Amino acid sequence: MSVGEGAAAAGDPLPDEPRRPPDRGLRHTAGEQTPLSSLALAAGAGGLVLVFAGSAAVATAYGWTPTESLAEAITSPAQLVVLLTSIGLGALAGIAGLLGARRAMTKGAREGAISGAALGLQAIVLAGFLLWFRNGDVERFARQFFDFALLSDFTDRFLRAAGNTVVLALSGEAIGIALGLVFAVFALSSRRVVRAPARAYINFFRGTPLLWQLSFFFFGIVLGLQLDVGVYTVAILVFGLNAGAYSAEIFRAGIQSIERGQFEAARSLGMSYLMALRLVILPQAIRRVIPPLTNEFVILIKDTSLVVVLGLTLSQQELLSTARDIYAQTFNATPFLAAAAGYLAITLPMIRVVTWLERRLRSGLTGIGA
Amino acid sequence: MNSDGSLVRLEDVHKWFGDDLYVLRGIDLAVTPSEVVVVIGPSGSGKSTLLRTINLLEEPTEGRVLFDGVDLTDIRTDLNAARTGIGLVFQQFNLFPHKTALGNITLALRNVLGLSREEARERAVEQLREVGLEEKADAYPGQLSGGQQQRVAIARALAMRPKLMLFDEVTSALDPELVKEVLDVMQRLAGEGMTMVVVTHEMGFAREVGTRLLFIDHGQIVEEGEPREMFASPGHERTRQFLAQVL
Ligand SMILES: Nc1ncnc2c1ncn2[C@@H]1O[C@H](COP(=O)(O)OP(=O)(O)O)[C@@H](O)[C@H]1O
Ligand SMILES: [Mg+2]
């Protein structure tokens, strides 16, 4: 509770985010490198860059499409030279790095040598894999997975699919957050008759597979009872119920993490239980649970793919069902790569947001240091 | 006021935590308006529990609490309304960290008392001025020193215009040099005629400001009296021992 005693004079800017530990990287130690460590760094980095840039250059020279020319590029002598050179550079980096690290007189030189060896090892592993790979039926593989020409025919469908993925996940999460808030409060009730059903709901939806839930609610309940509810709606409801159970646990933990004194102060000012919850506890708890909630959301984005089992119409299909659908039509697996790219395009920014939020919340800039 | 002229009266109050912890063992206490009752006693003797039963933050297991003519232990009583008449200040301040000093005060004014935005703001600023913190209105608790936080907490309680103020070791979490600024506010409040029940280890405050001293041990009022007299000649051996330790 000695928070801010240092910043006593109010209006003082809050202390800066704690500095990260000093970087162990190479940026500041260029001057310390020895010939051996420099060699290791140059060979390692060169080898790794060559694997990527060289292979890309060869593929570009032969042409990425059609798949025949891509396959030709992969099996070409030029590509073999690229890979063998990379492995050679990697090996050189490894040897120079090991020797350099042992003889290094400064920390910077040792870091340089070790980093060079690490990069070299990566070049060897990657180039080695590609070397092994080009001995297989590359022709067939390229046709199966790298038919980028085919994708251009389905651009619209993939864009709509990405939109559907986002809509499914967002609506599910919105329902989930609302349910989660309510059931978290129920689960915290001092009355067993209120608590028990909340726990039952939470445990049931956390304890059974989402795939089972989707199947049961659609095939079991909707089709079984002949209800007039569409697949898409059922999917959103089930995602909402599922997300609600997980969010409830997150909110419950968040609410419990707020000191008792906050609640007591609110009650002693004449606030009702619900008013104290709404005005004092939740505003603080919600800030604390934003990172885990966003994590849940990322998981839900990926889990929307489970709707493939329900059989969606063309306009309802999300990323994975679109990929599977196109695969069934064309017997070409490239759409799966496109689907993966779609998921990453949605989830990676979310993951970055979580990291950013966590850092921000930890640094106490929101006034929740205490 | 209660029928006997007291502002608050505890009648044979007992408090159990669970089946084994017997914390208040028959408390009888009447506080008349403008009294400043100072409660002292060893740690764990039940002082905080006693204060918290007065505004029913802790429900007595047995006994009655009467405040301003209302039986707070009656199930039909609107406790939320009754609590607006009783201010409570905590050892740990318990300011709302997501609200500014001003926001801490206006929150209940707006939502509990139903004041308009302007009225609430006006009253909060005035209250902050009274504790000498007008210029900190827009500071968040994390930007205030412990003494300043506690004065905001007092202002927050006073803004409700309570008839009774309860203080639970409000200076115990403060660095020594910050204690005085808080005690000064409390002393002035007492001088203005506020009825107060104060749990504290500040014996100077008890002697100078207290109108009655209460010594509690093992959940019972062992001895009570005029502070100076009690300090000079405690009537009980246990009081004598306790005072010898703290003085
Ligand atoms: N909410 C509670 N639940 C269980 N035990 C409690 C609770 N509050 C206080 N106690 C116990 O009651 C006893 C008296 O506590 P308290 O009134 O805080 O003493 P004091 O304020 O005089 O130090 C202590 O043993 C404490 O652990
Ligand atoms: Mg106490």
Side-chain angles (χ1 to χ4, degrees):
Chain A
M1 261 298 162
S2 60
V3 198
E5 222 107 296
D12 273 8
L14 285 170
D16 280 333
E17 216 176 300
R19 288 252 298 280
R20 293 166 195 220
D23 190 50
R24 273 174 42 88
L26 303 164
R27 249 169 298 161
H28 309 293
T29 57
E32 295 178 25
Q33 300 306 327
T34 62
L36 265 182
S37 70
S38 305
L39 177 63
L41 272 175
L48 193 56
V49 169
L50 184 62
V51 180
F52 287 106
S55 306
V58 172
T60 309
Y62 281 81
W64 291 87
T65 55
T67 58
E68 288 77 16
S69 56
L70 186 59
E72 220 176 299
I74 295 172
T75 48
S76 68
Q79 175 69 1
L80 182 64
V81 172
V82 164
L83 294 180
L84 290 178
T85 313
S86 303
I87 290 178
L89 283 173
L92 180 63
I95 294 165
L98 286 183
L99 292 176
R102 193 166 310 157
R103 295 186 193 160
M105 303 295 281
T106 64
K107 218 168 184 172
R110 189 163 65 210
E111 283 304 311
I114 292 176
S115 305
L119 289 171
L121 191 63
Q122 289 163 37
I124 293 176
V125 169
L126 257 176
F129 172 76
L130 289 177
L131 211 53
W132 167 80
F133 179 81
R134 70 198 287 281
N135 285 329
D137 188 348
V138 174
E139 175 89 46
R140 202 177 117 85
F141 181 87
R143 222 181 313 120
Q144 270 292 330
F145 276 104
F146 289 147
D147 193 351
F148 301 119
L150 175 128
L151 281 186
S152 56
D153 299 341
F154 295 102
T155 315
D156 288 351
R157 273 186 72 178
F158 268 110
L159 285 178
R160 193 172 55 205
N164 276 332
T165 293
V166 170
V167 168
L168 283 170
L170 269 182
S171 340
E173 187 65 22
I175 296 175
I177 284 177
L179 283 177
L181 260 180
V182 172
F183 279 93
V185 172
F186 287 171
L188 284 168
S189 169
S190 58
R191 296 187 178 88
R192 193 182 213 130
V193 289
V194 178
R195 213 165 52 222
R199 290 291 351 155
Y201 158 71
I202 293 170
N203 291 339
F204 180 80
F205 278 92
R206 293 206 324 156
T208 53
L210 181 50
L211 187 54
W212 180 90
Q213 292 161 20
L214 282 167
S215 311
F216 177 75
F217 277 86
F218 185 66
F219 300 119
I221 293 190
V222 174
L223 294 190
L225 297 181
Q226 306 267 296
L227 300 181
D228 187 19
V229 188
V231 186
Y232 207 71
T233 317
V234 175
I236 287 177
L237 286 178
V238 172
F239 289 142
L241 285 167
N242 187 271
Y246 282 95
S247 315
E249 282 296 82
I250 292 172
F251 279 123
R252 183 188 58 75
I255 291 171
Q256 281 181 321
S257 77
I258 306 297
E259 297 159 68
R260 246 195 102 65
Q262 290 292 310
F263 189 71
E264 294 178 345
R267 294 309 299 274
S268 74
L269 288 165
M271 294 187 201
S272 68
Y273 177 88
L274 284 179
M275 199 187 276
L277 202 62
R278 179 169 58 87
L279 297 175
V280 176
I281 306 299
L282 284 180
Q284 299 180 58
I286 283 174
R287 275 180 241 197
R288 287 189 196 179
V289 301
I290 286 173
L293 270 186
T294 320
N295 259 329
E296 275 306 313
F297 183 50
V298 170
I299 293 174
L300 180 60
I301 292 171
K302 294 178 292 177
D303 282 352
T304 53
S305 59
L306 292 170
V307 293
V308 289
V309 297
L310 299 188
L312 298 161
T313 67
L314 204 59
S315 65
Q316 296 170 331
Q317 283 175 350
E318 42 68 69
L319 281 168
L320 186 66
S321 43
T322 301
R324 277 176 47 133
D325 211 43
I326 300 176
Y327 177 75
Q329 285 171 33
T330 61
F331 295 106
N332 188 294
T334 314
F336 284 112
L337 282 188
Y343 283 116
L344 287 173
I346 302 170
T347 53
L348 286 187
M350 297 298 303
I351 292 170
R352 287 208 65 116
V353 167
V354 178
T355 317
W356 177 78
L357 274 173
E358 278 178 341
R359 185 155 348 120
R360 208 184 129 82
L361 289 173
R362 237 197 331 258
S363 72
L365 286 176
T366 47
I368 300 216
Chain B
M1 223 183 301
N2 296 323
S3 52
D4 63 347
S6 65
L7 179 61
V8 63
R9 197 167 81 236
L10 278 65
E11 294 177 352
D12 195 28
V13 166
H14 297 256
K15 177 68 184 178
W16 292 78
F17 286 116
D19 290 334
D20 304 320
L21 201 53
Y22 189 16
V23 177
L24 294 184
R25 310 181 175 210
I27 300 281
D28 283 291
L29 173 66
V31 181
T32 51
S34 295
E35 253 195 305
V36 178
V37 177
V38 176
V39 181
I40 59 172
S43 170
S45 57
K47 304 182 296 294
S48 297
T49 309
L50 171 63
L51 275 197
R52 294 151 58 87
T53 51
I54 292 179
N55 76 350
L56 268 274
L57 267 188
E58 299 290 0
E59 196 180 347
T61 315
E62 238 178 78
R64 295 208 304 164
V65 178
L66 302 156
F67 170 71
D68 203 18
V70 181
D71 182 355
L72 300 188
T73 38
D74 186 331
I75 191 83
R76 290 162 299 187
T77 300
D78 179 357
L79 271 183
N80 295 328
R83 284 196 184 115
T84 61
I86 307 175
L88 174 56
V89 186
F90 302 83
Q91 179 174 347
Q92 297 296 344
F93 327 142
N94 292 342
L95 289 181
F96 308 136
H98 60 302
K99 295 278 177 193
T100 60
L102 195 84
N104 262 274
I105 302 174
T106 53
L107 194 64
L109 294 182
R110 303 257 295 124
N111 292 282
V112 177
L113 297 189
L115 266 55
S116 75
R117 188 185 299 273
E118 278 67 42
E119 286 171 317
R121 206 194 141 77
E122 221 167 275
R123 197 192 277 198
V125 168
E126 172 198 324
Q127 210 59 246
L128 279 174
R129 187 183 309 132
E130 259 170 53
V131 298
L133 286 174
E134 199 185 355
E135 80 283 12
K136 302 291 188 199
D138 295 324
Y140 284 90
Q143 297 169 303
L144 297 173
S145 74
Q148 292 169 334
Q149 288 189 58
Q150 194 59 293
R151 283 189 280 155
V152 173
I154 294 173
R156 179 174 72 178
L158 288 175
M160 303 296 286
R161 305 270 153 86
K163 294 185 172 170
L164 173 68
M165 284 289 288
L166 309 173
F167 295 87
D168 191 0
E169 296 195 33
V170 295
T171 57
S172 295
L174 298 180
D175 290 337
E177 76 272 18
L178 303 177
V179 168
K180 189 171 178 304
E181 66 187 52
V182 173
L183 290 182
D184 284 348
V185 169
M186 291 166 64
Q187 179 157 16
R188 212 182 54 231
L189 199 57
E192 289 164 5
M194 175 62 78
T195 315
M196 297 164 47
V197 180
V198 184
V199 173
T200 186
H201 293 303
E202 298 292 332
M203 294 304 154
F205 179 89
R207 196 195 309 262
E208 299 304 323
V209 185
T211 57
R212 180 152 49 125
L213 188 62
L214 228 65
F215 174 65
I216 291 196
D217 197 12
H218 293 296
Q220 285 177 317
I221 300 178
V222 175
E223 182 175 354
E224 59 180 303
E226 204 280 321
R228 285 161 200 274
E229 284 171 22
M230 246 172 90
F231 281 128
S233 52
H236 277 259
E237 182 51 30
R238 274 192 293 179
T239 319
R240 205 189 320 274
Q241 278 169 6
F242 178 76
L243 287 176
Q245 278 167 16
V246 297
L247 284 179

